[in-house]
Amino acid sequence: MVLQERISTAHPQERVELAAAYRLIAEFGMDDSIFTHISAKAPKSEGDHAFLINPYGLRFDEVTAGNLAVIDINGDILNDPYGAGINKAGFTIHSAIHAARPDVACVLHTHTVAGVAVASMKEGLLPLNQWSAPFFNRLAYHDYEGIALNLEERARIVADLGDKSAMILRNHGLLTCGRSVGEAFRAMMDLERACRAQIAVMSSRQTPNQLSDELAEHTARQEEGWAEQHQAAGKPDAEWTAYLRLCKKRHPDFDQ
């Protein structure tokens, strides 16, 4: 069954998939009350250089395709169906990346217990397993500067991220980028699981069996090769499609 048969066409696909990501982050217990954000490029019809983001005050399980706000990289709200504006800290982080990285269609940021725990470790994420190895030498780090309300921090976020697609915000949380909503979501799921596994290993008080740099790099390249082969062949994202089916089953109103 093709994706279009599963999802409402009442709203543009960008809105539908972003709303699904919000519901799925909540589904997997990775939300933080009304805080943190997922953003995606808005349809061209909704504004140039604009992106979609959650309206302030809604839980992730309340976000729908129709109530997402539209904002441009200057901070001007172009459309606000819910009428509550947006979180300014979310604008700082997300506008920085959307403005600097035209290859990025979606930015996903979380404050999970495991993610914040690893973000609070000097060592950061260690190459301990098949979840963490794909991030080897591909994970950026950004030092904590307090709640992200200072627009001058945007330049430092962009500089620290560089051309990478995943970042640990030290003492803060996790961030992933993707060429699609599905890509950013899948990366966050793997990064989150890598953090949970690291906490479990370290809590066991047993000796971690850390992968060698060579093996971690080999695994990362395997992951990249698989992704590029599927994209080049124009194959559908089977995992994201499966997640969308789950979202439609558990949250049938997300695409409204």
Side-chain angles (χ1 to χ4, degrees), residues 17-255:
E17 295 202 15
L18 182 57
Y22 275 101
R23 295 299 185 95
L24 289 164
I25 288 293
E27 173 76 20
F28 290 105
M30 295 164 61
D31 52 340
D32 180 14
S33 182
I34 63 171
F35 304 104
T36 77
H37 314 274
I38 316 170
S39 63
K41 284 184 178 179
K44 288 290 186 182
S45 61
E46 298 197 47
D48 292 329
H49 307 295
F51 59 93
L52 302 163
I53 199 165
N54 52 322
Y56 185 68
L58 288 184
R59 301 186 312 272
F60 279 26
D61 66 308
E62 296 177 301
V63 172
T64 67
N67 66 29
L68 288 160
V70 185
I71 187 169
D72 66 21
I73 58 175
N74 297 315
D76 296 321
I77 296 176
L78 306 180
N79 186 19
D80 181 14
Y82 185 65
I86 65 163
N87 185 299
K88 292 182 179 180
F91 168 74
T92 299
I93 295 171
H94 291 256
S95 66
I97 298 171
H98 282 294
R101 292 280 301 275
D103 59 309
V104 170
C106 178
V107 180
L108 203 164
H109 172 44
T110 62
H111 299 159
T112 64
V113 173
V116 173
V118 172
S120 301
M121 297 176 183
K122 287 187 180 297
E123 297 85 355
L125 186 70
L126 301 173
L128 295 175
N129 49 61
Q130 193 164 277
W131 286 322
S132 56
F135 295 100
F136 182 72
N137 284 338
R138 291 155 177 81
L139 186 61
Y141 289 84
H142 174 67
D143 288 338
Y144 188 59
E145 299 186 23
I147 297 172
L149 299 175
N150 180 5
L151 294 182
E152 293 180 1
E153 187 180 357
R154 292 190 293 182
R156 294 184 286 276
I157 291 171
V158 168
D160 288 337
L161 181 63
D163 62 355
K164 294 181 172 64
S165 296
M167 184 161 65
I168 287 182
L169 303 169
R170 290 195 182 276
N171 309 98
H172 183 174
L174 308 177
L175 183 145
T176 58
C177 305
R179 293 165 291 187
S180 65
V181 174
E183 187 174 61
F185 179 82
R186 289 188 295 102
M188 180 58 75
M189 289 295 287
D190 286 344
L191 186 55
E192 169 68 15
R193 285 184 284 219
C195 290
R196 291 185 187 184
Q198 180 167 318
I199 297 302
V201 170
M202 297 181 78
S203 299
S204 74
R205 299 188 180 181
Q206 302 301 306
T207 303
N209 184 29
Q210 186 165 317
L211 302 179
S212 67
D213 289 357
E214 293 77 16
L215 183 53
E217 178 64 26
H218 171 66
T219 306
R221 289 184 179 180
Q222 285 181 310
E223 181 80 15
E224 289 171 340
W226 181 89
E228 292 305 324
Q229 286 175 10
H230 277 67
Q231 185 180 43
K235 295 180 179 179
D237 187 332
E239 186 178 13
W240 177 236
T241 302
Y243 277 127
L244 288 171
R245 290 196 303 270
L246 173 66
C247 188
K248 187 64 176 176
K249 180 179 181 179
R250 300 279 184 86
H251 309 278
D253 66 329
F254 83 96
D255 53 6

